[in-house]
Amino acid sequence: MKTLTLLRHAKSSWDDPVARDFDRPLNAKGRRAAAMIGRHLKAEGFAFDHVLASPAVRVIETLDEVWSGYGQKLEPVWNKAMYLASAPSLLDLVQAMPDAADHVLMVGHNPGLEDLVLDLTLDGELRERVEDKYPTATVAQMTLPVDRWAEVRAHSATLVAFIRPRDLDPTLGPDTP
């Protein structure tokens, strides 16, 4: 059994004048949300033995804040192929994970992460919440009935958690400063 946790980067700042989208930083709300998600992951006993992340600035800053809340910094494998990757590209990365890793955290971008969850999981209430919206700084955790990552296939995972920042603190939801 393998566990795959996906984290969408936290809310970024559109006010920051950067030349490339890749360099866009987090805004204050995004920093708060990422730190809160980190605290929640720690409190709920989430543990990871492999982290794969996009090297975009907003993902790097999201992980810095998550680790601050989590109380432990885990070193990710930075992979530029994750930057704005499609679900099929992300699935290729999942299938190439080291088999020694049982619980992987992938940190990246939408719509790829949302589409990957929808492609991998079976129908259910949590999946319907993902279909509705996969907000920034949201965590989706799936269990996969496989021994090797290369065996991961569509519609085989069970979505066991879908945690949005606003579920933990309503001020981190939409329509609030």
Side-chain angles (χ1 to χ4, degrees):
M1 174 86 65
K2 300 288 187 188
T3 302
L4 178 63
T5 302
L6 305 180
L7 170 63
R8 182 178 175 198
H9 67 78
K11 192 155 191 64
S12 59
S13 174
W14 289 93
D15 296 333
D16 205 296
V18 294
R20 303 180 312 159
D21 174 71
F22 188 87
D23 298 322
R24 216 165 3 99
L26 296 185
N27 67 18
K29 186 176 179 180
R31 290 182 184 286
R32 285 193 342 263
M36 177 165 286
I37 286 293
R39 288 190 297 275
H40 184 76
L41 294 175
K42 182 67 169 183
E44 294 298 314
F46 283 60
F48 311 103
D49 51 22
H50 188 78
V51 181
L52 181 66
S54 161
V57 169
R58 59 191 178 273
V59 172
I60 293 168
E61 291 182 357
T62 295
L63 276 173
D64 286 345
E65 295 297 332
V66 166
W67 300 146
S68 172
Y70 191 75
Q72 177 184 1
K73 182 176 183 175
L74 304 175
E75 288 300 326
V77 173
W78 302 108
N79 188 327
K80 194 159 187 177
M82 284 195 65
Y83 177 65
L84 303 180
S86 67
S89 295
L90 291 172
L91 179 57
D92 288 345
L93 293 172
V94 168
Q95 291 171 331
M97 292 288 176
D99 288 328
D102 289 322
H103 191 154
V104 171
L105 172 65
M106 290 180 73
V107 190
H109 311 268
N110 254 6
L113 290 180
E114 177 178 335
D115 292 343
L116 182 62
V117 173
L118 296 175
D119 289 351
L120 290 180
T121 57
L122 305 164
D123 289 337
E125 181 182 333
L126 284 179
R127 189 177 188 280
E128 290 173 13
R129 289 178 59 201
V130 175
E131 285 177 341
D132 183 46
K133 187 169 184 180
Y134 195 127
T136 53
T138 293
V139 172
Q141 185 177 75
M142 299 166 278
T143 56
L144 297 137
V146 298
D147 294 320
R148 297 176 45 247
W149 289 105
E151 299 168 350
V152 173
R153 299 290 178 261
H155 308 296
S156 64
T158 301
L159 185 60
V160 295
F162 185 66
I163 306 150
R164 304 170 302 184
R166 69 175 156 207
D167 297 331
L168 306 175
D169 179 349
T171 68
L172 294 172
D175 304 320
T176 59

